[in-house]
Amino acid sequence: MDNDRVLIVGGGVIGLSIGWKLARAGKGVVVFDRDRAGGAASWASAGMLSPLAEVRFEEEPLLRLGLKSLAMYPDFVAELEADTGQAVGYRKDGVLLVGVSQDDLADLEFRYRFQKELGLEVAWLNGAEARAREPHLGGQVSAAVWCPGDHQVDNRLLVAALATGLEKAGGTLKEGASVDELVMEGNRVRGVRVGEEVYEGEMVVLSAGCWSGRLPGLPDEIRPPVRPVKGQIIRLQMTDAVRPHTIVWYNRWASSVSVYLAPKDGGHLVVGATSEEMGFDTELTAGGMFELLRAAWEVLPGVYDLPIVETLAGLRPGSRDDAPILGTTAIDGLIMATGHYRKGILLTPMTAHYISELILTGEVSEVIRPFGLERFL
Ligand SMILES: Cc1cc2nc3c(=O)[nH]c(=O)nc-3n(C[C@H](O)[C@H](O)[C@H](O)COP(=O)(O)OP(=O)(O)OC[C@H]3O[C@@H](n4cnc5c(N)ncnc54)[C@H](O)[C@@H]3O)c2cc1C
């Protein structure tokens, strides 16, 4: 009986959402997290659902995947909130992509043209028009691109609801349970070992975030090329005087810093994030905090007076091409759902849907086929 179940290694937003979908479809599922579920990258995250503002030239297939997942968000949230009775802070604010210097504007214009070419709904605003939309913007902001289709969610409420949804639907969540080894039998998975105990299962999903490539027992030839990309982030407390109602995003050309300010329902203004290749280091640095706050203050001067509630650093699971690794592997019964890098919250509904569909039906959807591990082999 237990051999029919699915074992999920890693209870971040990806593992939890797949587990929830499988459990509500009646499948036996156990999610293992060696720590607190949702406590790693999914906790540190800013919860931006912003494929339009993040458009970059080399990433069109990933952009399409992001847009698809964004379109799935309203139903995904409605289903989760109905299942659990827990709100997840989904907001359709839109993003204002702002610029200050000549360099910023040239970059902004380049992006804007590309967004238009892709048929995305965006609008060019001069400084005054941008301030009319978001009165907290500083006088230095000289132009902006309005991306009304970009949304956000409260990532912390999201993981909490997913954990509730998983258990309510009959799935099991084991926290403080480190998967120490993938247990194989010939070319197929037999289960996982946690301490002395072996859990048997029909399938194993590897969704251990930036630790996915390090699971003992995983054959070397299919280790996913995932590395940690450090992100420092700050949470400020908004006041009645400073309460922006759109997300503001500033690519500060002069210091190569990209900072966003995302107002959350609970009153936090999330200011993030650095992007650093520092291995598994999660120290906060003066430079990281300084760059974020300087850029934030430049475009939204009111942040100067806001209390700092929290500072932290998390590790994004970055793959070699920044796109997720999704689907089957050369090992029977082993499925990958990892490498979501800086878009894991955005890509959650899409990942949960297509990976659970793959597990339940054996079908690899055309949507995720280009994102298989094979592309690296
Ligand atoms: C600062 C920052 C800002 C971000 N902002 C955004 C954003 O605005 N929008 C967006 O879409 N994305 C954002 N991201 C990216 C997003 O947070 C990640 O892509 C996403 O959370 C990855 O989810 P995950 O479940 O794969 O990994 P994680 O959340 O890291 O979860 C992996 C889990 O696996 C567990 N684990 C590891 N090894 C084992 C083991 N052997 N046994 C058991 N458990 C194990 C860990 O304890 C952890 O809980 C941001 C990330 C950071 C760090």
Side-chain angles (χ1 to χ4, degrees):
M1 173 71 179
D2 272 1
N3 290 348
D4 292 346
R5 66 190 172 181
V6 177
L7 309 174
I8 300 183
V9 184
V13 72
I14 297 302
L16 288 173
S17 60
I18 296 167
W20 169 59
K21 283 282 178 187
L22 289 173
R24 77 194 303 280
K27 190 83 186 163
V29 55
V30 186
V31 178
F32 299 90
D33 200 287
R34 63 170 177 210
D35 212 327
R36 180 171 57 85
S42 304
W43 187 258
S45 180
M48 309 262 291
L49 313 174
S50 49
L52 279 75
E54 285 194 77
V55 156
R56 287 197 315 196
F57 306 91
E58 69 282 13
E59 286 181 354
E60 204 174 324
L62 190 52
L63 168 71
R64 299 279 166 216
L65 201 66
L67 290 171
K68 180 154 198 80
S69 200
L70 182 66
M72 295 170 86
Y73 244 98
D75 287 347
F76 179 83
V77 166
E79 218 169 52
L80 183 59
E81 291 186 339
D83 272 17
T84 62
Q86 292 176 219
V88 300
Y90 176 52
R91 295 173 45 151
K92 298 185 173 181
D93 308 80
V95 171
L96 257 181
L97 199 50
V98 303
V100 171
S101 69
Q102 279 303 321
D103 287 338
D104 298 341
L105 293 205
D107 176 52
L108 211 54
E109 209 180 321
F110 217 44
R111 277 173 196 261
Y112 172 69
R113 272 201 234 113
F114 185 53
Q115 289 166 323
K116 286 301 242 187
E117 265 170 43
L118 292 168
L120 302 176
E121 192 197 335
V122 289
W124 182 267
L125 308 181
N126 64 29
E129 289 165 336
R131 270 180 291 282
R133 183 159 284 289
E134 179 48 75
H136 290 290
L137 285 183
Q140 294 199 70
V141 170
S142 50
V145 176
W146 172 231
C147 311
D150 279 343
H151 300 157
Q152 64 165 322
V153 68
D154 185 319
N155 44 295
R156 295 179 174 184
L157 296 179
L158 179 65
V159 286
L162 286 169
T164 304
L166 166 75
E167 293 193 302
K168 265 193 156 177
T172 302
L173 174 59
K174 288 190 176 290
E175 297 184 291
S178 176
V179 172
D180 297 320
E181 189 185 359
L182 177 73
V183 181
M184 309 255 301
E185 204 167 68
N187 195 45
R188 101 164 320 282
V189 290
R190 204 182 105 211
V192 299
R193 182 173 62 75
V194 177
E196 297 299 305
E197 203 171 342
V198 171
Y199 292 78
E200 300 207 335
E202 180 193 12
M203 289 195 184
V204 173
V205 178
L206 182 55
S207 56
C210 67
W211 298 274
S212 295
R214 298 162 73 97
L215 183 66
L218 198 62
D220 281 344
E221 59 279 14
I222 60 153
R223 281 190 186 280
V226 178
R227 70 189 195 287
V229 181
K230 176 178 170 183
Q232 301 185 49
I233 193 159
I234 305 171
R235 286 181 171 241
L236 305 174
Q237 183 65 48
M238 290 186 287
T239 60
D240 287 341
V242 184
R243 193 175 293 277
H245 56 271
T246 58
I247 302 165
V248 176
W249 192 313
Y250 175 31
N251 292 313
R252 188 177 191 272
W253 197 254
S255 54
S256 308
V257 163
S258 181
V259 68
Y260 46 75
L261 299 98
K264 299 290 177 186
D265 281 348
H268 286 178
L269 182 66
V270 179
V271 180
T274 65
S275 194
E276 303 165 63
E277 298 284 349
M278 296 290 290
F280 287 90
D281 166 68
T282 51
E283 289 284 352
L284 295 168
T285 63
M289 296 287 112
F290 170 73
E291 291 292 356
L292 290 177
L293 288 174
R294 174 174 61 177
W297 167 74
E298 218 169 84
V299 291
L300 217 100
V303 300
Y304 197 86
D305 294 316
L306 298 185
I308 294 177
V309 185
E310 190 183 329
T311 49
L312 78 165
L315 301 172
R316 306 174 184 91
S319 77
R320 265 209 312 261
D321 61 3
D322 297 348
I325 302 171
L326 304 169
T328 53
T329 63
I331 305 298
D332 287 345
L334 180 65
I335 307 284
M336 298 231 172
T338 188
H340 290 73
Y341 189 35
R342 49 185 303 142
K343 296 182 177 13
I345 309 293
L346 169 66
L347 296 176
T348 291
M350 180 282 304
T351 303
H353 176 82
Y354 290 106
I355 295 293
S356 59
E357 180 186 82
L358 163 62
I359 290 169
L360 294 168
T361 68
E363 295 292 318
V364 181
S365 161
E366 288 309 315
V367 173
I368 60 168
R369 197 179 290 283
F371 297 96
L373 178 68
E374 319 78 68
R375 72 189 191 275
F376 298 117
L377 301 180

